[in-house]
Amino acid sequence: MTASLLQAPRLHRTVLANGLTVLVLENPVADIVSARMFIRVGSASEASHQAGLVSFLMGLLTKGTAALSSMAIAETVESVGASLGTDAAADYSVISLKTVSADFPEIFALAATLLRQPSFPTEEIELERKLTLQQIRSMQEQPFTLAFNQLRQDMYGEHPYARPGIGTEATVGAITQPDLVDFHRQHMRPDSVVITIVGRITPAAALAQVEQALGDWQVPDASSPPALVFPAVLTTPTCSMAAQETNQAIVMVGYPAASVKHPAYAALKLINTYLGNGLSSRLFVELREKRGLAYDVSAFYPTRLGPSQFVAYIGTAPENTATALEGLRFEVERLQETVLSDEELQSAKNKLLGQYALGKQTNAQIAQLLGWYEILGLGVEYDQGFQDMVAAVTVLDAEAVAQEFFHKPYISLLGPEEAVGPVAAAHA
Amino acid sequence: MNSVDFPASVIRLENGLTLIHQEIAATPVVVADVWVRAGAITEPAEWAGMAHFLEHMIFKGTDQLPPGIFDYAIETHGGMTNAATSHDYAHFFITIAADMLPQTLPYLADLLLHAAIPADEFSRERQVVLEEIRQAQDDPDWLGYQAMSEAVYQDHPYGRPVLGTAEILQRRSPEEMRCFHQAHYQPDKMTVVIAGGIALEPTVAMVKHAFRGFASPPPCPAAAVAPVPTLPGVRREILHLPRLEQSRLTMAWLGPGIDQLETAYGLDLLAAILAEGRTSRLVRELREDRQLVQDIGAGFSMQRECSLFTIQAWLDGGDIDRVEAIVCDRISELAAKPISDAEMARAKRLLCNDYAFSTEAPGQLAGLYGYYGTIAAADRCLAYVPTLQQYKEADLRNLAAQYLTPLRYVSTILRPA
């Protein structure tokens, strides 16, 4: 099962004359076709005064083109029971669609038009702005989101990864139609797009549809797409707290971590699995099963083109804040001195690789994974490469990586003042 | 009712256990999903929360299997396991490479049949459940849902939170839980679904061998019995919550039980016509055109004894009364004015495709069969698409008139404190 699902000759990769990359995988099992249109631009490409622009722009793609109103677009999609959505991530953006196979040509052609020719109607901009501003305010209702936003801001400072993808009330309030038009013209171009199509469709038919819809899309000029330059991260570890009268305190620790292209990436993913993934993970067993401190305790290490972060968190009764913080730090930082046993390492590998394979069950999951590797510049062969790298990690590699990354963490606390205040003061 | 051939095998074992199996040749994955008719509805009122707490304790091992060994075995073999509890059921599932099933299924069966519920683990795990309750209480949508359920279902067990309350859980004992477990985790209340890359014959042998030796059921306090509720009129409740940034309005109507599945599917269509997608009636009018709501959705939730139809809006506190009045108007219109062919076609297509999209992976399929097998019969899910297709607009209007009246509903409102 750990073998690559994506091996040749089933996978067809084509680059059109205009630089657009197409990946097709025929899977006739179900009468479903899933497709993704990835664009090599994400929230990290925004200027700080335009935070939220990419997310806002992606939301507006389905709200109007030169020929179609927002309602006409929705009508086309909903009348055939298809799904069509957009999303903006830190390092890329994506349009996702899923149809029964007979409806694919019509909905794919529509999605291509949305990508190429959005009109950003002013009344739709205002509605989207109103909805987005309320969504930003509603984040205050979610303790986990608040604590994470605080941690991210502390860890990244001026780096764009510091900001929530949705932006702030000030920046979203200031977005104009020309901002959207300019950004679209500059960044949405065929040589920055990867399209993946997976499902009951032949490679020839899929490619013909892409050619027809997007083959004549011209690169705007002879220049290359704008290169992405990240500012350096210049922060130092801090402890921040948000006083909220919640029933639970949220405790998070964050350690600056490696980008996807760093040699430590696979070892950190493996450590993340060991510590935070599943019912047999170290954090779950030590802090939940043995000590009853939490319902939710876990870790995550996002895959990023730029400097990533390794985060462990727990939700606990407010009076347990100090104990939980100590427990999280102990479990992460002990890996600097404690070498994993061969059995622990092998278990973590089996778990990570097994779940990786289970993540490729549906056409949509496969379309997402393939296109994601391609858009990050890793190539589809990374599907196998990643598995090989994980398999090759040794216990000494894991220890070396822990020693490199798990120093003093950034700490984010949220909860009632009288419970989290003293803990924050002790770590100030 | 039209029906297609059911692609799965349904086998009743000698001990009364139901096995549902479907081989999916193209996948290397297999899902084992065990459904038990032992949800919160089987609890006596003073034991509220027991079914869900037991779901946690199932993972705490047996005399043969110390706590944590099961999780470790599944995950070390590259699989995943989890569980969930609702009013009508508890279910436990593993997703794993097909060739690992023979080694891991016996563990799951041992846990389900012979949970030891050790006293020290009971006390510790109770802390975990109390944390789960605290986390839920920080979620305004959970609080709103509970308030609405209580108002709709009144004394019926569907009105109680599946999680129970801290006060009740503090008073429970491991002995009581063992009694509840042995009384309800019996073969006649259990459905084992196996879907994926494994043939029928080895599956039957494996399940027969693993799921045997059930304890004989002890006497156990009976479930709270309450009549299926009716709503006498409009019931309105306003909750003021701290830390709330946006108000919510939930309007709820009672629907039929599982004995009227065709009606239930019709209510699904009405929910889609009202508020699924940008071109649906309420989303279009209230969010896109009049901009009175941040979002609005409708949902139909099937339950064994008595289902629920809800319309929920996220909106500014000042617009609540107006939006509630408009929704009542639109509900009345639904019954009074013909529904266009385009709306009928759109709603049918959306739901039929959703059904196709939600049966793509073995885990989805196993969940569907297990759910239907537990609250009705597994093959009843096959009637879904043909039943939807047969609906005429006049049928839907009759359903709207019968179930969705502006004269009898519950309205639960959340406002910032």
Side-chain angles (χ1 to χ4, degrees), chain B residues 245-264:
Chain B
E245 295 287 331
Q246 182 164 46
S247 296
R248 274 87 156 158
L249 164 69
T250 305
M251 300 165 72
W253 289 262
L254 287 163
I258 201 71
D259 50 339
Q260 295 175 59
L261 265 182
E262 289 194 36
T263 304

Side-chain angles (χ1 to χ4, degrees), chain B residues 87-337:
Chain B
H87 285 99
D88 287 334
Y89 57 81
H91 79 121
F92 303 81
F93 53 95
I94 53 184
T95 308
I96 201 158
D99 55 346
M100 296 294 178
L101 189 67
Q103 297 156 64
T104 48
L105 186 68
Y107 284 152
L108 179 61
D110 190 30
L111 291 181
L112 290 166
L113 271 61
H114 307 121
I117 314 179
D120 55 339
E121 295 288 346
F122 182 90
S123 311
R124 207 163 20 231
E125 194 62 18
R126 179 158 50 199
Q127 294 305 118
V128 173
V129 177
L130 295 180
E131 289 297 342
E132 191 174 359
I133 292 175
R134 268 189 210 104
Q135 183 173 321
Q137 284 169 340
D138 283 335
D139 175 0
D141 291 309
W142 186 86
L143 293 171
Y145 183 83
Q146 291 309 327
M148 181 270 290
S149 295
E150 273 175 47
V152 170
Y153 286 114
Q154 305 151 56
D155 296 329
H156 191 277
Y158 285 159
R160 300 195 306 242
V162 171
L163 294 177
T165 65
E167 297 69 34
I168 292 179
L169 293 177
Q170 290 293 7
R171 294 200 295 269
R172 298 285 65 81
S173 70
E175 291 74 26
E176 290 168 345
M177 186 179 281
R178 281 182 215 120
C179 169
F180 182 85
H181 170 248
Q182 288 171 11
H184 293 287
Y185 282 54
Q186 289 292 332
D188 58 322
K189 297 179 179 180
M190 207 175 265
T191 301
V192 178
V193 191
I194 309 276
I198 185 164
L200 177 62
E201 205 178 315
T203 304
V204 174
M206 206 186 298
V207 171
K208 266 188 184 164
H209 191 264
F211 289 83
R212 67 196 163 121
F214 283 84
S216 45
C220 184
V225 183
V228 169
T230 51
L231 296 175
V234 177
R235 223 178 254 195
R236 211 155 184 257
E237 184 183 13
I238 301 175
L239 275 71
H240 293 271
L241 300 182
R243 304 185 305 106
L244 202 69
E245 295 287 331
Q246 182 164 46
S247 296
R248 274 87 156 158
L249 164 69
T250 305
M251 300 165 72
W253 289 262
L254 287 163
I258 201 71
D259 50 339
Q260 295 175 59
L261 265 182
E262 289 194 36
T263 304
Y265 297 160
L267 289 167
D268 247 352
L269 281 171
L270 286 170
I273 288 168
L274 279 173
E276 187 170 332
R278 226 144 76 200
T279 60
S280 65
R281 293 184 179 186
L282 294 177
V283 177
R284 180 175 192 152
E285 176 178 356
L286 294 173
R287 192 184 70 185
E288 307 291 316
D289 292 345
R290 299 169 79 170
Q291 305 192 4
L292 287 169
V293 301
Q294 172 83 8
D295 206 354
I296 187 162
F300 177 74
S301 150
M302 190 63 230
Q303 300 198 94
R304 195 178 156 87
E305 294 185 13
C306 176
S307 57
L308 194 62
F309 187 99
T310 53
I311 294 176
Q312 188 171 25
W314 288 258
L315 72 178
D316 190 85
D319 294 325
I320 291 175
D321 293 352
R322 194 165 159 211
V323 167
E324 187 170 346
I326 296 171
V327 171
C328 283
D329 270 0
R330 299 302 167 260
I331 291 286
S332 306
E333 262 175 40
L334 205 49
K337 290 188 192 165

Side-chain angles (χ1 to χ4, degrees), chain A residues 219-267:
Chain A
V219 172
D221 51 51
S223 67
S224 307
L228 194 54
V229 184
F230 291 122
V233 176
L234 299 169
T235 62
T236 52
T238 47
C239 178
S240 293
M241 67 161 266
Q244 293 246 329
E245 289 306 310
T246 48
N247 292 286
Q248 253 195 345
I250 307 285
V251 179
M252 272 184 195
V253 292
Y255 303 83
S259 91
V260 64
K261 297 189 175 171
H262 190 285
Y265 175 73

Side-chain angles (χ1 to χ4, degrees), chain A residues 62 78 131 280 289 347, chain B residues 60 72 75 138 278-279 294:
Chain A
T62 66
E78 292 170 15
L131 300 176
S280 63
E289 299 300 281
S347 292
Chain B
K60 293 299 185 174
Y72 182 81
E75 295 184 352
D138 283 335
R278 226 144 76 200
T279 60
Q294 172 83 8

